Structures are given as structure tokens and as C-alpha cells.
Amino acid sequence: MTLSPVSPDEIRARFARAMSGMYRAEVPAYGTLTELVEAVNAETLSADPAEKARLDALGEYERISEERHGAIRLGTADELATMRRLFAVMGMVPVGYYDLSVAGVPVHSTAFRPVDPAALAKNPFRVFTSLLRLDLIADAALRAEAEAVLAARQIFTRGCLALIARAEAEGGLGEADAAAFVAEALETFRWHAEANVTAGLYRRLHDAHRLVADVVSFKGPHINHLTPRTLDIDTVQARMPAEGIAPKAVIEGPPARKVPILLRQTSFKALEEAVDFRSDGTNAPGSHTARFGEIEQRGLALTPKGQALYDRLLAETRATVTPKPDGSNAAEYVAALEAAFAEFPDDAEALRTGGYGYFRYSPTEKAADGADLTASAADLVAAGYLRADPIVYEDFLPVSAAGIFQSNLGDEAGQGFAATPNRARFEADLGAPVTDLHQLYAEAEAASLARARADLARAAA
Ligand code: OOG
Ligand code: NI
């Protein structure tokens, strides 16, 4: 055992900060966006002191200003398996399986994130991680070329691999090693202007699918966005143009509501970046668009019942109006979405008693000696002994993710693939099963209730 190892939570917090600093330097619009988000969050909370007090009391306030998610796209099973070990050093595990083939994007994905409520409160940094599915590319010769290029690259530094092995062998990293690990791991996520392929091969990969070119052509899986969390996405979206940032026309996810549910997200277009392709005798300068900006607002995590209702209402909306990539029918889409979601209860009490969402229970100030401790959670809340707060959704939404991918790949990228989810293959490549997200929320709710009941019993004794 390493002498006084730095906790995985602390390494994750340092890594997230280092990543944010790097991305700010690489993509200036990200810095502008985070400042706008911070300003709107501060205004939102000063206009609603009760909400600020509630977030403070739950320990949720502090995490929000530093809260980010990022995304990367990997090329091989080996890269995915090693990435799992890298994230494990920071207390992040794969949660959920997302099949994007349905949406014309040849990847499947998971999210690496902390799962323990205390770890989430410390720093909830998450990375949406996709694995390219070359099996969905029809051209066998091109597929073989792409495989050869991917097989020859090493996306992790030697120092990073050594520190992952040490963390595994010794059960953690000491101070100096933790600092070195953050610096070495960051290298994998950096933008490399120097490509691994010639402009000619890049073009052919790009013609097969822009995403294939993005994954195969470079030395590493550059972080393609880093997303701050806002408490009011509509306001940030409305103010983005004044900051020189043009967001996509439609916010992905549920409509605006009194009680936010799941996740609402919007993004803005990728930068065009200069690329040095490998020489093919022409040395023509090239460019690539990979990196973009995104913001998100998170709300109540839904139970399978709530999620099924969400999925149905979204599908109904999209069967009536499909949002066009150019944004020309945005108003019509939002109207259809709002009309469909009128059916979704929009009151915390109805969401809880109807079993649509997950809640965290805690004792109130009310003296517990009169409480019937055998009563249900709902009755204890109704009688004023317990309070219930929404559990925040920590994960992603496949339809939204597909919309984010597409808006940044370009409008022509909507390609048809058969829906071919292959979770077993993904888990085999990952080298571990992905954690079921509903199980995590159900456990968090049950644990909070058990603790709250024990607290009441102690107070009543
Ligand atoms: C990931 C897109 C998905 C989200 O927030 O849903 C995503 C990507 O473009 O690589 O980040
Ligand atoms: Ni994202």
C-alpha cells in the first residue's frame, strides 16, 4: 500500500480542473461559455434564495460551479479497456450502455463517472466514451486500412500506463504519483494537429462517415467538448448569441418545466482546426472540425416508469415533427414537444407519489417522538417528519446524444444504419460489465430512506 494515497475523488477533481484549464486554452469559446454559465447560475440563485439554501443543505451547491462532462471517441477494444483502467484510478466506472447506431452514428458508448453519492458531491466529473464500430462500415478495404492505422497508434503515454499499473498494484497513488498521473493522463485528451494519415486517406474515411475520420486520423482521442452545468438553460441559450456563440436551434431533451427532469442540452458548432496530414507528396494544408461547446441542465432522475413515459412522449413528438438540422422548424418542434409533455406530471409531489422519479429522504426539524415509524415514506413525508428532494440525473440520453453528435458532424451526416445494439460485445471490449443506472438511483433512494428512518428512530427514543 502506498503511503497516504491521494483519494480517487481528489485525483478526479484535480484531473477535471486540469482538463478544464487545457480546454479553455485550446477552445476560447469554452471559456466564454463557462463565464456566461457562472453568471446565469449566480443570478438564478440570488433570485431564489430558498433554492440556494436547499442546494447548500444537500451539499449540491458546491459541486455545480465545477461540474463538467466531456466526451471522447475511441478506436479499438484495447483503447477502451485501458481507458476503463485509467478512469478507475479516479474513481470513475462505466455506467449505462448507449447504442447510437439507431441514430446513424457508428458508435456505441458508456459514461465513466463516480457512483457513490458522497463521491458525486465531491466532484461529479463524467466522460461520455464512445467506441467506433468499424463493423458498420460497408467498404471492407477501407475498414482494413482504418484498422491498421488504429492498431499502430498508442494513445496513452508510457508514464501514464506505468502509473495506472502502480495504482492497481498498490491500491492507490501517493502525492507525487497522483500529480504525475494527472499530467500524463491529460496528454491522451489533448488536441494533436499532426494527423496519422495522409489527406487522401482522411478524405476517404470522411466520405465513409465523418466520425470515422475523426477517430482514425489522429494520434489520440482529443476531448471533443467539455460541458458546464447550468441552472437555467433557456436563459443561457438566449444569451449565447450576444457572446458571439451560435447554439443549435433546439434544446435536446424534455421541454422547459417547473420541475426539471432528466437532462436538457444544447451545443454549438465545432471549430475548424488546421491539421498537418502525413505527406503524400502534395503537402496541402488541411482542416478538421471536431470540437464544440455544450451546456446542460440536469433534473430529476426518473424511475423505469417515468423513463418509459419520457421515451413514449418524445417518440410521439418526433413522429409528428422531426427537428430539421437547419433549425427551420424549431418553433413547431418545441410546440409539439410541449403539447406532448402536458401529460407528464409537473409537480414534485405528484412525481414522487406517482412513482415517476427517485428521491432522497432526510429528517425534517419536526420533533420525531410522535412519529409512527412503521408508516410508509409517503406518509412520513405527508406528516412532516421526512423531506424528499429530487435525486439528480447523472447520466445521458441516447436520443439527445445522437442529436449532439449530428449537429456537430454536419447536416449531411445523418446516415442510415440498422439498429444493432451489441452490449455484450461492448462489455467484452471494455473488459467489464457496465453498471445499470436505475439500480444506482434505486440504491441511493433506499439508502437515504433507511438512514432517515434510523435518524427518526434515534430522535424518537
Ligand atoms: C458525444 C455526444 C454525446 C452528450 O452530452 O449527450 C454527449 C460525442 O459527440 O462524442 O456528449
Ligand atoms: Ni455532451
Side-chain angles (χ1 to χ4, degrees):
M1 183 76 187
T2 310
L3 274 181
S4 61
V6 181
S7 74
D9 291 347
E10 177 59 27
I11 299 177
R12 180 175 67 260
R14 291 184 197 175
F15 182 77
R17 260 170 244 148
M19 183 86 101
S20 186
M22 179 178 88
Y23 205 62
R24 205 179 262 266
E26 290 183 345
V27 182
Y30 165 74
T32 310
L33 187 66
T34 54
E35 281 156 29
L36 176 60
V37 166
E38 274 166 31
V40 170
N41 287 356
E43 286 166 32
T44 308
L45 290 179
S46 66
D48 189 352
E51 178 64 1
K52 174 164 189 312
R54 192 186 72 86
L55 291 174
D56 256 337
L58 292 169
E60 279 183 24
Y61 172 64
E62 254 180 76
R63 74 174 233 188
I64 291 171
S65 63
E66 279 203 296
E67 179 159 354
R68 301 283 186 276
H69 87 251
I72 53 170
R73 305 154 182 171
L74 303 172
T76 67
D78 272 356
E79 290 175 359
L80 181 65
T82 305
M83 197 55 85
R84 176 177 62 78
R85 296 170 54 219
L86 183 154
F87 282 130
V89 175
M90 303 188 247
M92 298 159 76
V93 301
V95 180
Y97 172 75
Y98 304 92
D99 168 37
L100 280 300
S101 66
V102 263
V105 184
V107 302
H108 48 185
S109 318
T110 189
F112 288 96
R113 68 168 179 86
V115 294
D116 192 56
L120 285 161
K122 168 106 183 147
N123 185 304
F125 184 59
R126 17 176 136 61
V127 179
F128 191 91
T129 303
S130 300
L131 178 63
L132 180 63
R133 294 182 65 183
L134 283 175
D135 58 302
L136 298 181
I137 300 306
D139 180 342
L142 185 65
R143 201 160 64 218
E145 270 185 281
E147 271 162 11
V149 172
L150 287 171
R153 76 177 185 180
Q154 170 55 275
I155 64 170
F156 303 98
T157 67
R158 228 181 299 167
C160 182
L161 294 172
L163 288 164
I164 293 171
R166 177 170 300 169
E168 288 170 347
E170 299 181 6
L173 296 176
E175 185 55 53
D177 283 343
F181 172 80
V182 168
E184 297 279 349
L186 203 60
E187 290 305 308
T188 297
F189 298 84
R190 195 182 286 289
W191 169 250
H192 300 275
E194 204 184 316
N196 264 346
V197 299
T198 62
L201 180 52
Y202 174 85
R203 180 47 51 197
R204 282 187 290 128
L205 294 167
H206 192 283
D207 289 346
H209 197 293
R210 278 176 67 143
L211 195 88
V212 178
D214 182 58
V215 177
V216 176
S217 305
F218 297 94
K219 295 188 182 310
H222 37 260
I223 182 97
N224 65 48
H225 64 286
L226 206 56
T227 303
R229 175 173 165 197
T230 174
L231 298 170
D232 182 353
I233 196 169
D234 299 288
T235 298
V236 178
Q237 165 104 347
R239 288 206 210 158
M240 277 161 75
E243 302 293 332
I245 301 173
K248 68 199 275 301
V250 165
I251 294 178
E252 299 287 346
R257 297 161 41 91
K258 286 207 291 294
V259 182
I261 53 171
L262 296 172
L263 176 62
R264 300 181 71 215
Q265 300 175 303
T266 186
S267 63
F268 60 88
K269 276 256 158 83
L271 307 175
E272 179 141 348
E273 288 167 295
V275 177
D276 295 331
F277 288 107
R278 287 176 81 141
S279 176
D280 58 357
T282 62
N283 281 331
S287 70
H288 176 70
T289 51
R291 296 179 315 151
F292 60 97
E294 186 192 41
I295 50 169
E296 66 187 8
Q297 181 169 0
R298 292 186 171 268
L300 173 69
L302 300 183
T303 60
K305 174 183 171 180
Q307 184 72 47
L309 180 58
Y310 172 80
D311 292 343
R312 175 168 71 73
L313 298 178
L314 188 69
E316 278 173 21
T317 306
R318 296 174 82 95
T320 329
V321 191
T322 312
K324 293 205 179 106
D326 67 1
S328 57
N329 65 349
E332 198 192 330
Y333 175 75
V334 170
L337 187 70
E338 280 171 357
F341 274 80
E343 191 182 331
F344 211 117
D346 192 11
D347 157 280
E349 163 112 1
L351 289 163
R352 179 170 50 79
T353 54
Y356 293 96
Y358 293 104
F359 287 80
R360 175 165 293 125
Y361 293 94
S362 53
T364 61
E365 306 282 286
K366 182 168 174 174
D369 41 8
D372 170 10
L373 295 175
T374 63
S376 69
D379 287 345
L380 288 167
V381 173
Y385 295 108
L386 290 185
R387 57 176 288 167
D389 288 281
I391 293 183
V392 173
Y393 188 60
E394 306 285 355
D395 294 288
F396 293 87
L397 297 169
V399 175
S400 299
I404 298 290
F405 265 105
Q406 261 147 11
S407 70
N408 291 290
L409 289 171
D411 304 345
E412 82 283 15
Q415 232 182 70
F417 295 109
T420 50
N422 195 342
R423 176 171 168 165
R425 179 62 203 256
F426 186 84
E427 292 182 328
D429 289 350
L430 180 67
V434 298
T435 303
D436 178 70
L437 44 110
H438 284 288
Q439 191 186 326
L440 291 173
Y441 296 116
E443 279 170 14
E445 179 179 278
S448 76
L449 183 57
R451 209 173 318 113
R453 281 185 184 282
D455 287 348
L456 282 186
R458 210 170 310 117

